[in-house]
Amino acid sequence: MAHPSQLGFQDAASPLMEELLMFHDHALLVVFLISAFVLYIILAMITTNMTDKYILDSQGVEIIWTILPALILILIALPSLRILYLMDEIDSPHLTVKAVGHQWYWSYEYTDYADLAFDSYMIPPQDLTPGQFRLLEADHRMVIPVMTPVRALISAEDVLHSWAVPALGTKMDAVPGRLNQTTFVASRPGVYYGQCSEICGANHSFMPIVVEVAPLEHFEAWSSLMLEDT
Amino acid sequence: MLASRALRLVGRRAISTSVCVRGGHGVAKVEGYSLPAYFDRRENPLPQVRYVTDLSSEQVSLKEKEKGSWATLSNEEKVALYRISFKQSFAEMNQGSAEWKSIAAGIFFFIGLTGLLVVWQRKYVFGDVPHTFHPEWKAKELQRMIDMRINPVEGISSKWDYENKQWKK
């Protein structure tokens, strides 16, 4: 989760998010350089005493300020496309989880080996124990094993929702009548929070996603426990 | 014409679109008008017309003298010739004004006014923040974030020294 007044991204919990962080650094640097340069030009133009500014031309500078932006755009596009195609790679996930959006909660189904399904409602602020995070905590977390390629199949039962976990670098729209697939690998254990990312009615802001990444033994113990309960 | 009559306060000259009334003595370049106009702009140093179009008899004779050798012209005559062609010299047109002070004053005033409005709004319009904003809760949240190793790479948990149970120096 983000700490209060945090401006930047959360630390990456998946290799894809690491790539996105690095690309963002790169693109932001380009943006800062361009902005600083433009700011300098604006200040120079305001404070200059040069005459004949609007009645002269220069082919040279016009060539430069056409070619250079094109090069900069290529410099941004190449890493961007690389990550785009990286995101589309699916190579044999070990686990499949279905996340289905409802108004206004998520339900998760682990049906690879047994029929495990449960709902995940937000814990209302009045029911929080001291120290829990308002609007982010859920009563049942989606637990997955660490360092395991996971396939998430996202869908919805009623209206559009969107399943997003920023730390993992995932977001996928939950469309009723459609199965959207996304894969990720959680590279470190921990608890990662996300919120529904597509307007879906009155409680759109109150259906969070909580992913708990644990070592495989813990995941197995948890799923056995959940199966006993349901 | 209707607008001219209605806005007598502003003055006919200011809002009339008739070219004759606007004359040629504005500072802005008069684009879109078919008649050439005079303007004083540093970036575009050659106006379309001379400033003084109706020359007095003195000026007419000066113009005749100008056709001869310029070495015979005195300094005052050169300046007079300049003033026939141009309204302001470069020094005069580049001169700053004290307008920036009024603008800055207006900006600060409105920022201050907005600040007062915001303070009033917070006191009289908005309700209480949720109970999770109280300092004790926030402290417990922070402890929980550290315990859960939230953002341990470069974020908040990376700034905590777990051995000595304090923030890293």
Side-chain angles (χ1 to χ4, degrees):
Chain A
M1 63 169 280
H3 72 258
S5 74
Q6 176 172 330
L7 291 177
F9 290 117
Q10 300 173 34
D11 284 343
S14 75
L16 183 66
M17 191 58 201
E18 289 174 35
E19 294 284 345
L20 286 169
L21 289 179
M22 290 195 285
F23 172 69
H24 180 262
D25 287 343
H26 165 75
L28 196 63
L29 183 66
V30 174
V31 165
F32 278 154
L33 287 174
I34 294 173
S35 304
F37 177 63
V38 169
L39 187 64
Y40 166 73
I41 294 293
I42 289 173
L43 291 173
M45 285 179 73
I46 289 176
T47 57
T48 187
N49 278 329
M50 286 168 64
T51 62
D52 303 333
K53 249 170 44 174
Y54 296 139
I55 58 174
L56 301 175
D57 72 348
S58 166
Q59 293 299 327
V61 70
E62 298 224 0
I63 291 174
I64 292 175
W65 71 36
T66 308
I67 302 288
L68 203 57
L71 286 177
I72 291 174
L73 283 175
I74 294 175
L75 217 62
I76 297 175
L78 288 178
S80 175
L81 289 171
R82 176 181 155 266
I83 296 179
L84 188 66
Y85 281 91
L86 211 65
M87 281 164 62
D88 275 347
E89 283 179 9
I90 317 268
D91 45 5
S92 50
H94 296 179
L95 178 69
T96 299
V97 185
K98 293 192 256 316
V100 184
H102 310 253
Q103 281 177 316
W104 287 279
Y105 62 96
W106 291 94
S107 64
Y108 300 106
E109 297 168 31
Y110 296 69
T111 48
D112 282 338
Y113 302 104
D115 269 328
L116 173 58
F118 55 91
D119 297 336
S120 173
Y121 280 83
M122 180 186 86
I123 299 180
Q126 57 267 25
D127 295 344
L128 292 170
T129 61
Q132 281 191 310
F133 310 122
R134 186 181 74 99
L135 305 187
L136 280 180
E137 303 283 3
D139 53 5
H140 296 114
R141 297 172 174 171
M142 175 179 129
V143 181
I144 52 172
V146 71
M147 291 300 290
T148 307
V150 171
R151 171 194 285 118
L153 294 172
I154 319 286
S155 187
E157 282 276 55
D158 34 45
V159 297
L160 291 178
H161 300 269
S162 188
W163 195 81
V165 184
L168 297 171
T170 41
K171 182 181 292 178
M172 187 53 76
D173 278 1
V175 182
R178 181 185 171 89
L179 265 188
N180 277 333
Q181 179 183 234
T182 184
T183 54
F184 55 86
V185 182
S187 42
R188 57 183 170 90
V191 180
Y192 307 110
Y193 295 90
Q195 293 176 289
C196 177
S197 299
E198 184 67 45
I199 185 81
C200 53
N203 288 345
H204 156 68
S205 319
F206 310 116
M207 45 183 292
I209 297 136
V210 189
V211 177
E212 183 177 326
V213 180
L216 185 59
E217 311 79 50
H218 293 253
F219 167 73
E220 289 170 343
W222 168 83
S223 49
S224 307
L225 216 69
M226 290 294 283
L227 277 165
E228 278 168 29
D229 282 344
T230 52
Chain B
M1 275 303 291
L2 203 63
S4 314
R5 246 181 258 136
L7 294 170
R8 203 158 288 281
L9 268 174
V10 179
R12 271 194 70 218
R13 280 187 79 89
I15 42 98
S16 162
T17 52
S18 156
V19 175
C20 314
V21 171
R22 283 188 85 90
H25 300 317
V27 174
K29 185 166 186 224
V30 190
E31 287 185 282
Y33 294 99
S34 50
L35 301 174
Y38 177 81
F39 46 81
D40 279 314
R41 297 205 76 195
R42 190 191 74 236
E43 299 87 12
N44 213 320
L46 302 174
Q48 295 161 354
V49 288
R50 213 176 279 151
Y51 178 52
V52 177
T53 40
D54 303 317
L55 298 173
S56 68
S57 51
E58 273 178 11
Q59 290 171 322
V60 168
S61 53
L62 196 54
K63 275 291 181 189
E64 285 300 319
K65 194 175 175 197
E66 193 192 13
K67 290 177 184 170
S69 167
W70 289 343
T72 60
L73 294 169
S74 71
N75 261 353
E76 294 82 27
E77 285 172 333
K78 288 177 188 169
V79 171
L81 281 167
Y82 183 89
R83 291 293 172 182
I84 291 174
S85 298
F86 302 106
K87 182 181 179 207
Q88 286 181 311
S89 66
F90 274 92
E92 286 163 9
M93 77 171 87
N94 288 342
Q95 200 172 48
S97 67
E99 194 192 12
W100 70 271
K101 296 177 196 170
S102 327
I103 294 175
I107 290 174
F108 289 135
F109 171 76
F110 279 109
I111 289 177
L113 186 67
T114 307
L116 284 175
L117 279 174
V118 169
V119 167
W120 177 87
Q121 193 179 43
R122 285 190 178 194
K123 190 161 196 280
Y124 291 102
V125 176
F126 292 148
D128 287 331
V129 290
H131 64 103
T132 53
F133 279 80
H134 293 157
E136 307 84 39
W137 195 288
K138 281 293 171 214
K140 291 211 172 85
E141 265 188 24
L142 184 56
Q143 182 62 57
R144 186 155 178 266
M145 285 166 73
I146 292 173
D147 292 339
M148 288 166 80
R149 306 291 197 274
I150 301 270
N151 292 336
V153 181
E154 289 179 331
I156 197 153
S157 299
S158 67
K159 310 273 192 290
W160 180 258
D161 185 353
Y162 284 93
E163 256 98 75
N164 301 323
K165 298 212 182 5
Q166 60 185 2
W167 290 109
K168 285 185 185 163
K169 297 283 183 294

